[in-house]
Amino acid sequence: MTHPPLPSELLRRNLPLLCAALALVVSPHAADLPLDIPGFVWLACGWRLAALYRKAPLPSRISLFLLTLAGAGLVYVHFHKFYGREGGTALFLVGLGLKLLEMRSLRDLYLVIYLALFVAVTEYLFSQSIPIAAYTLGVVTLLMSCLIGLNGGESLSLAGRLRLGAKMVMQAVPVMVVLFLFLPRIAGPLWKLPEDEPGGRTGLSDSMEPGAISRLGLSRETAFRVDFEGALPPPQERYWRGPVFWQYDGRRWTAGYDEPLPARRPPQAAGASYRYALTLEPQRRRWVFPLETLETFPAELTRVEDGFLLAAEPIRERRRYVLSSRPAAIFDALSEGERRRALQIPGMPDERVRELVNGWLLENPSAEAMAQKALRHFREEPFIYSLRPPAIAGDPVAGFLFDTRRGFCEHYAGAFVYLMRVAGVPARVVTGYQGGHWNPVGHFLEVAQADAHAWAEIWIDGDGWTRFDPTAAVAPERIERELEFAAGADGAVVFASPVAQALGDRLSSLRGLMREAGLMWDAVDHAWVQWVLAYGPEDQGRFLERLGVVDWNRLVYWLTGLLGLLALISFALLWPRSRPVADPALRLYLRVAGKLERQGLVRAPAEGMRDFATRVAQTRPDLAEPFGRFTALFLAIRYGGRVQPAALERLKALGREIPSR
Amino acid sequence: MISVPIEWKERFDLRRFFRGEKAVDGPIRLTHRRVFIAPNRRGFGLAVLLAIQFLAAINYSNNLAFILTFLLAGIAMQSTLYAFRNLAGLSVRRGKAPPVFVGEPARFELHLDNPSRIHRHGLSARLAGAATTIRFDVSPESTATLTLHAETETRGWLPLPTVTFDTSFPLGWFRAWSPINLRQRALVYPRPAPAGIEPPAIPEPGSGTRLSHSEEEDFYGFSGYRPGDPLKRIHWKGVAKGQGVHVKQYAGGGTAELALDWQYTPGADVEARLSRLCRWVLDAEAAGTPYSLRLPGVVIEKGRGEAHRAHCLEALALFGT
C-alpha cells in the first residue's frame, strides 16, 4: 500500500518541534547506554533539520541501507545481542533515528512519534526517579504538541500548540490515576527476563571476608526504608537480619549450604510486637531483612531456618513487604547436625587463641559467661574500631586478636564466633543491617548500605540463639546512636574573628538548611517509592478490598463509573459556551424566539424584529396576537429608555403565552 | 437554531452516520445528534502502542511505565472530547449557489457560524462524490464562508450533495464527522454548443434572420445606456468627457433582433438542440441583440439584459424536466 507523501508545508511547520522532542526523548539514555546510541538519533535530527533549512539532501536509498547496517552494528558491538534491557532499548533508539530519516508520509510521521513514546517508556527501565518521571512527562507533552501541530491549521501558533499539549496532559492525569489504582495488575514477568543485571548495585555479599562490608560502609545508598505502625523499637533492637554464616574455612565465612533451608520449626514469639513495612531497594539477591524475631510475613516470601526471608526471585525492583516481629523468642533444642556445624573450625586453633580460651574455661564453663568474657576482652584490651584495618599476615583470627587489634564488625564478629567455637559454645555469624536514620519529615527509618553490619549469635540452652555484638563492646556509639539528626548541635565551631564567626554561622545555618532540604527530599522520595513505585498487585488487592470491590463485576462498575464521571466533568468543562446575554429583556426575547424556532419559525440574521413579527403573523395567525404584543413591549423596553421591573414582569408573562408547540 | 425532530426509524439507521439526515432549509446546528466520532487508523496504531507498552510494564513490573501508558490512554480519551467539541456548536447556513453551465463546477457557498469562544482548528469540508476537501479554521465568534465545488454533468437543478465536515484535531487519533444535508440547489444550464452555426432564418414577418453586429455595419446613432447593453458598445470617450453613458447603435442588415425557436434549431437530439440554443442566447446577449425564445410549451418574448438571459437559460436548463 502506498501512502500519500507529506505536504512539504506541513513538514516545514512541524519538523523543528518534532526534532527537538526526539532529541530530548533520547537524551536521558545517554546516562545508561554508550553515547553513540543516542548520538545516532541526535545526528538523524540534525540531518533532517539540515535538509529542511539548508536544502541538504536526505540520505538516498543506498545510504539508508548502509545507515541501517551501521546502526545495527553499533548495537551489536556494544551488547552482542538485540534483546534485553540495554540491547533492546538501543535497537529502538537506532530504529527511531532511521525512521526519522526515511520518514515520507504522514503514516511514517506517526510511526516516529509512537516509537518516541515507546523510547520514553524504556527510560523507566533504567531509572524511576522523580526527576526522570517529570522529564519524560515534559517530553510527552512536546510529542503531543507535535501531533496537535499536525492536525491543527496554520492559525495555531507554537505557543498555542504547547499550551494545548500541556493542558491535555494535565487533564489526562485523573484518568491515569483511576486506571493506575483500579485497572487489574498482573504480576510479571510475562516472559523470561534475559539476564538483566541491574549493574553496579552494592549490597550484602553471600560470604564474609575481611573487607567486604567495609566497601558498603562508605556507601550512603539506601538499602531499604521502614515505616513502623506504632512504636519504634529501641536502637539496640534495630538488627535487620540477613544471611547467617556457619562455615569458616580459615579466611572466609560462608553459609555452609547451597540453598538456605526453609524453617522447620519457627521459634515461638513472645513479648511486644512491631508491625512495619519494609520498602526494599533493588538488589541482586533474594534476601529480605526482618527484625528479630519474625512473626508474620507475606505468603510470597519464605522464612528460612536462619531467621531471615527469601523472595522467590532476585529483587530487581523496589518491593514493599509488610512484616511483624517480636524481639523475644522461645526456641527448642539444637539438633545434633546444627551443633556440629555451629562448632566447626578449620584445623587446630592458634596457640595464643587456645591459651586465651583455656584461661576463660578454667574460670567458668557456662556459655553466657564465656561470651561475657570475650566481650570484656574486646573492651578491656586496646581494640580499635576502624574502617581501614591493616592487613593481617598469617592466621586472620589470631593476627587480629593479638597483633593488629584494629578492625570493624566483620573482624569482631568473626573473631568472637571463632573464640566461642574454640571454647565449645555453638556460635554463628549473622550479617544484615543495624540501626538506620530516622527521618522526622516522613516518619520512617532509612537504612543505608553504610548500616551493613555483622554480629554473632551463640546457643544458650534454654534461651536458644542469643545475639552478642562484639563491635558494640569496642565502639558502642556504632550501635547506640539514636536519632542523630534530632540533636542538630554539631557544626557549632567557634571562630576567632567576628567576621569569620558570622560567616561560619551563616555557613552552618546554610548547612542546616541543606540538611533539612535533604531530609525533605528523602521523605518525598520515600513517599514516591511507597505510594507510586511500589504499588503492585498485592497493594491493589488490599486497596480494592477496602473499597469493597471483590469481584470482576464490581470492578467493572467502579472503572466505568469513575471514568464516565471524569469524562462528564471534562465534558462540562470543555463544553463551548456562548457569551451570556446581559440584557434580561433580550434574554427573554431569545427564549421566546427559541420556542418559535422549534416550531420552524426562524428569524433570519438580517431580519428585523418587527419584520419577523409580521412574518410570524402571516404564517401563524394564531400567534399574531400574542407575539405581536410581546414584540411591541420588548421593543418598548429595549429601545424605549428606562427598564422598569414591572415591565419586565409583564414581558415575561407575555412570553409565557406563546405556546411551545 | 433549528432542530427538526427526527423520526425513530431514521434515528437508528446506520446510514445516517455517512449520509446525514433529511435535507432541511437550515441553519443546522451541529449537536451530539449529528456529530459522530470513531477512531481512525492512527488511533488503532495508538491502541497497538498502548498494548505493547502495557505488556512491557507488566513484564518489568514497572509502575512508571504503567503510569505513562495510562496517561496516554487518558489523553486519548480527552482527545475524543476535544474532537467532538471542535465541531459541536457550529451552525451551518447555506449561501449562494450561482447557476453554471454543464461541465463547469457548481459552486455552493456555505456559512459556518461559530458563536462560541472556542477556536475551531483543523476542520475540513467535503462534498459527497467530490475528490477534494477544503481545510479551514474558524475563529471564535466569527463566521467562515466556504465555497464547495461539485461536478456538473447534466443540466437542470443540482441539489447540494451531502456535505461532510470532519476533524481529527487535536491528536489525529479520532475522527469526528458530521454529514449535513441542506436544502440548496444550483441551476445548471446546458453546455453551450461550439460557435459556428448561425441561427437559421425564420420565415416569419417582422423578425430578423441574422445575428449582425460586425463593425463594418453603419453607425446609426447613440441611445441611453440600459442595463444589459454590451460593454463594448458603450461610448467610452463620451463617458470620459462627462457626457453620461451612451451606447452606440448600429444599423444595417435589417432589424437587429433575433427569434430563437426550438423548431428551427438543428441538432441530433434534445440536448444538442438545447446546447445550440444556449450558444445563440449567449451570443445574442453578448452582441446586444434583442432575442426571443420559443420552446415547446414555453414562449419568452423578445428582450435583452441579464434578467432576460437568465430567464431564457433557465427555460433551457429546465426544459423537459
Side-chain angles (χ1 to χ4, degrees):
Chain A
M1 193 190 297
T2 58
H3 293 274
L6 269 170
S8 63
E9 172 57 29
L10 197 69
L11 199 61
R12 196 189 57 71
R13 223 173 40 233
N14 292 293
L15 197 61
L17 183 60
L18 178 69
C19 285
L22 295 187
L24 287 173
V25 82
V26 300
S27 291
H29 285 91
D32 320 308
L33 300 173
L35 203 62
D36 41 357
I37 303 280
F40 193 86
V41 182
W42 292 331
L43 193 80
C45 291
W47 195 333
R48 195 81 219 205
L49 283 177
L52 181 70
Y53 288 121
R54 301 243 157 244
K55 307 280 175 255
L58 278 172
S60 64
R61 218 167 263 277
I62 289 174
S63 341
L64 262 178
F65 177 70
L66 292 176
L67 276 171
T68 309
L69 283 186
L74 215 55
V75 176
Y76 190 78
V77 162
H78 286 302
F79 306 108
H80 299 289
K81 59 184 181 185
F82 296 109
Y83 53 88
R85 196 173 62 137
E86 268 94 6
T89 302
L91 198 66
F92 272 114
L93 259 69
V94 167
L96 176 64
L98 287 169
K99 193 70 210 170
L100 178 66
L101 284 178
E102 68 110 59
M103 180 174 77
R104 294 206 174 83
S105 63
L106 192 62
R107 176 183 152 278
D108 292 342
L109 217 166
Y110 266 79
L111 202 62
V112 164
I113 288 178
Y114 290 169
L115 259 173
L117 286 170
F118 193 79
V119 163
V121 162
T122 59
E123 177 53 30
Y124 294 146
L125 301 182
F126 299 93
S127 167
Q128 297 198 69
S129 67
I130 297 177
I132 278 294
Y135 182 88
T136 40
L137 201 67
V139 175
V140 167
T141 305
L142 284 186
L143 290 171
M144 292 301 112
S145 305
C146 291
L147 289 179
I148 290 167
L150 288 176
N151 291 285
E154 280 151 52
S155 58
L156 206 55
S157 67
L158 179 64
R161 275 181 262 168
L162 293 174
R163 215 169 24 240
L164 183 57
K167 202 166 129 190
M168 292 193 70
V169 169
M170 289 298 139
Q171 285 167 340
V173 168
V175 176
M176 180 270 282
V177 170
V178 167
L179 288 175
F180 185 74
L181 290 178
F182 285 88
L183 201 75
R185 295 290 180 77
I186 302 156
L190 297 176
W191 60 87
K192 189 89 187 93
L193 291 176
E195 62 290 355
D196 280 335
E197 282 285 317
R201 278 200 177 104
T202 52
L204 284 184
S205 128
D206 58 0
S207 68
M208 191 177 89
E209 197 173 359
I213 290 185
S214 70
R215 258 187 289 113
L216 296 180
L218 303 171
S219 164
R220 281 304 324 160
E221 221 173 280
T222 303
F224 53 90
R225 287 154 168 167
V226 195
D227 291 84
F228 283 93
E229 233 175 73
L232 199 65
Q236 62 272 17
E237 288 297 342
R238 291 179 205 156
Y239 280 85
W240 309 96
R241 256 185 116 78
V244 174
F245 300 137
W246 298 76
Q247 184 77 29
Y248 184 52
D249 67 357
R251 181 125 220 126
R252 288 174 52 183
W253 287 90
T254 51
Y257 42 72
D258 292 335
E259 184 82 346
L261 299 168
R264 275 174 292 136
R265 18 143 231 195
Q268 272 186 297
S273 169
Y274 296 106
R275 236 178 112 72
Y276 51 97
L278 205 80
T279 312
L280 214 58
E281 293 293 307
Q283 55 174 8
R284 243 170 292 178
R285 315 287 181 184
R286 295 157 55 198
W287 306 326
V288 179
F289 307 91
L291 277 179
E292 296 168 0
T293 299
L294 193 62
E295 192 177 32
T296 58
F297 54 93
E300 73 206 79
L301 298 178
T302 316
R303 181 222 296 264
V304 295
E305 191 62 26
D306 293 343
F308 61 103
L309 288 167
L310 273 186
E313 292 277 324
I315 299 164
R316 288 207 182 84
E317 303 95 27
R318 269 192 208 84
R319 298 303 297 266
R320 188 165 180 268
Y321 300 107
V322 178
L323 312 171
S324 77
S325 296
R326 285 176 200 254
I330 300 158
F331 296 83
D332 50 10
L334 196 64
S335 77
E336 227 5 83
E338 279 171 328
R339 182 175 295 276
R340 211 168 34 244
R341 284 170 61 198
L343 287 172
Q344 173 269 338
I345 46 170
M348 281 297 284
D350 186 275
E351 190 62 38
R352 288 175 291 178
V353 173
R354 258 186 311 178
E355 217 166 275
L356 179 70
V357 172
N358 283 339
W360 297 343
L361 276 171
L362 283 174
E363 271 180 54
N364 202 326
S366 103
E368 184 153 16
M370 289 306 286
Q372 293 299 346
K373 287 262 183 226
L375 288 185
R376 194 175 320 134
H377 180 75
F378 284 131
R379 206 159 31 233
E380 289 172 355
E381 297 296 315
F383 280 94
I384 294 170
Y385 181 81
S386 164
L387 280 176
R388 291 210 193 93
I392 300 165
D395 183 84
V397 176
F400 169 68
L401 281 174
F402 300 102
D403 303 333
T404 66
R405 296 190 166 179
R406 286 163 160 268
F408 46 90
C409 56
E410 290 175 330
H411 300 86
Y412 289 101
F416 182 86
V417 169
Y418 188 82
L419 285 172
M420 288 299 106
R421 287 184 177 185
V422 171
V425 177
R428 60 188 189 182
V429 174
V430 187
T431 58
Y433 296 85
Q434 195 277 321
H437 299 268
W438 180 250
N439 186 317
V441 183
H443 299 283
F444 60 87
L445 202 67
E446 174 138 0
V447 178
Q449 294 296 357
D451 296 318
H453 192 51
W455 61 94
E457 277 180 342
I458 63 167
W459 180 268
I460 297 174
D461 287 322
D463 285 354
W465 287 111
T466 310
R467 183 179 66 233
F468 282 87
D469 191 345
T471 315
V474 181
E477 72 285 349
R478 171 80 174 76
I479 309 305
E480 277 158 25
R481 83 191 143 197
E482 166 72 300
L483 309 187
E484 96 176 11
F485 292 126
D490 63 335
V493 190
V494 181
F495 290 89
S497 103
V499 177
Q501 183 67 55
L503 268 175
D505 286 352
R506 186 72 55 84
L507 209 67
S508 80
S509 77
L510 189 72
R511 214 161 40 203
L513 219 65
M514 296 265 284
R515 201 164 53 194
E516 222 150 284
L519 279 178
M520 204 85 91
W521 177 251
D522 277 348
V524 168
D525 192 48
H526 179 51
W528 172 253
V529 166
Q530 246 201 318
W531 302 115
V532 179
L533 299 187
Y535 184 80
E538 311 95 52
D539 300 85
Q540 187 178 43
R542 272 195 294 280
F543 171 73
L544 293 179
E545 220 167 277
R546 206 173 293 175
L547 284 177
V549 180
V550 286
D551 53 15
W552 277 93
N553 272 345
R554 245 177 268 189
L555 185 64
V556 169
Y557 292 151
W558 270 84
L559 255 179
T560 47
L562 282 171
L563 290 181
L565 187 72
L566 288 178
L568 269 179
I569 292 172
S570 0
F571 202 68
L573 292 176
L574 288 176
W575 186 249
R577 269 181 289 271
S578 303
R579 187 158 286 176
V581 179
D583 182 351
L586 186 57
R587 217 159 41 217
L588 275 170
Y589 183 87
L590 291 179
R591 199 180 304 161
V592 169
K595 276 201 228 175
L596 294 179
E597 240 178 54
R598 283 191 287 279
Q599 303 171 50
L601 292 159
V602 187
R603 188 164 73 95
E607 196 172 19
M609 286 160 178
R610 217 185 287 271
D611 296 336
F612 180 50
T614 315
R615 189 159 65 84
V616 167
Q618 280 164 1
T619 43
R620 290 280 298 276
D622 59 313
L623 291 177
E625 213 274 339
F627 191 65
R629 284 213 319 235
F630 177 81
T631 306
L633 183 59
F634 168 74
L635 291 174
I637 290 172
R638 188 157 163 80
Y639 302 108
R642 297 211 344 251
V643 181
Q644 277 156 359
L648 268 179
E649 282 306 308
R650 172 96 188 104
L651 187 68
K652 205 182 266 179
L654 282 175
R656 274 197 291 270
E657 285 176 30
I658 315 280
S660 299
R661 286 257 148 231
Chain B
M1 292 293 134
I2 197 153
S3 132
V4 179
I6 181 167
E7 287 166 28
W8 284 102
K9 209 175 123 193
E10 191 178 358
R11 190 175 283 252
F12 290 105
D13 189 346
L14 286 182
R15 283 172 299 185
R16 185 161 73 93
F17 296 160
F18 301 102
R19 279 198 211 152
E21 296 172 5
K22 275 183 205 144
V24 290
D25 285 331
I28 294 176
R29 187 174 172 142
L30 305 186
T31 61
H32 57 278
R33 199 180 91 192
R34 296 181 189 270
V35 177
F36 309 112
I37 187 159
N40 55 19
R41 298 237 309 257
R42 300 177 216 309
F44 287 117
L46 176 80
V48 171
L49 171 76
L50 289 184
I52 294 172
Q53 285 188 348
F54 190 63
L55 289 180
I58 289 176
N59 194 53
Y60 287 90
S61 298
N62 191 312
N63 270 4
L64 283 191
F66 276 118
I67 285 182
L68 191 58
T69 309
F70 295 155
L71 190 77
L72 283 176
I75 293 173
M77 192 171 135
Q78 285 290 324
S79 82
T80 61
L81 299 180
Y82 273 91
F84 171 75
R85 173 181 92 143
N86 210 23
L87 284 179
L90 287 174
S91 82
V92 194
R93 278 182 291 130
R94 57 188 183 191
K96 284 180 284 191
V100 292
F101 296 95
V102 168
E104 286 179 1
R107 298 189 305 279
F108 292 98
E109 238 177 41
L110 291 177
H111 303 292
L112 224 67
D113 295 317
N114 177 12
S116 66
R117 266 177 279 178
I118 293 168
H119 202 124
R120 318 291 183 135
H121 295 285
L123 300 177
S124 63
R126 185 164 172 262
L127 280 183
T132 54
T133 51
I134 299 182
R135 291 180 65 88
F136 61 99
D137 289 357
V138 195
S139 313
E141 294 173 338
S142 68
T143 298
T145 298
L146 320 171
T147 309
L148 297 168
H149 296 268
E151 299 283 314
T152 53
E153 276 154 15
T154 51
R155 63 187 174 82
W157 286 114
L158 175 71
L160 172 64
T162 303
V163 187
T164 304
F165 292 101
D166 79 49
T167 181
S168 295
F169 187 78
L171 301 176
W173 296 334
F174 290 87
R175 169 177 180 256
W177 76 98
S178 184
I180 289 301
N181 289 310
L182 275 172
R183 207 173 282 145
Q184 169 70 309
R185 55 189 190 173
L187 188 59
V188 183
Y189 298 146
R191 188 196 298 274
I197 301 171
E198 294 288 295
I202 297 168
E204 220 175 294
S207 47
T209 58
R210 294 189 61 80
L211 185 66
S212 45
H213 59 270
S214 103
E215 291 298 323
E216 293 151 29
E217 282 165 335
D218 300 332
F219 178 67
Y220 169 73
F222 289 106
S223 71
Y225 173 79
R226 282 180 298 164
D229 283 334
L231 292 181
K232 63 186 199 176
R233 290 203 183 179
I234 290 176
H235 182 51
W236 291 110
K237 281 178 190 163
V239 175
K241 284 177 190 162
Q243 293 166 344
V245 186
H246 292 280
V247 179
K248 292 180 240 178
Q249 295 285 324
Y250 295 90
T255 48
E257 60 180 71
L258 195 61
L260 303 175
D261 197 326
W262 166 267
Q263 212 183 322
Y264 302 102
T265 305
D269 57 6
V270 176
E271 295 307 320
R273 280 192 189 187
L274 289 172
S275 283
R276 179 56 54 200
L277 283 168
C278 180
R279 162 58 56 200
W280 287 341
V281 165
L282 294 181
D283 286 351
E285 189 61 41
T289 315
Y291 53 94
S292 61
L293 178 66
R294 192 177 289 265
L295 296 173
V298 182
V299 176
I300 297 172
E301 291 303 330
K302 185 175 76 177
R304 214 161 56 125
E306 202 54 51
H308 179 68
R309 168 183 177 270
H311 190 190
C312 294
L313 288 176
E314 184 183 335
L316 293 175
L318 298 179
F319 176 70
T321 58

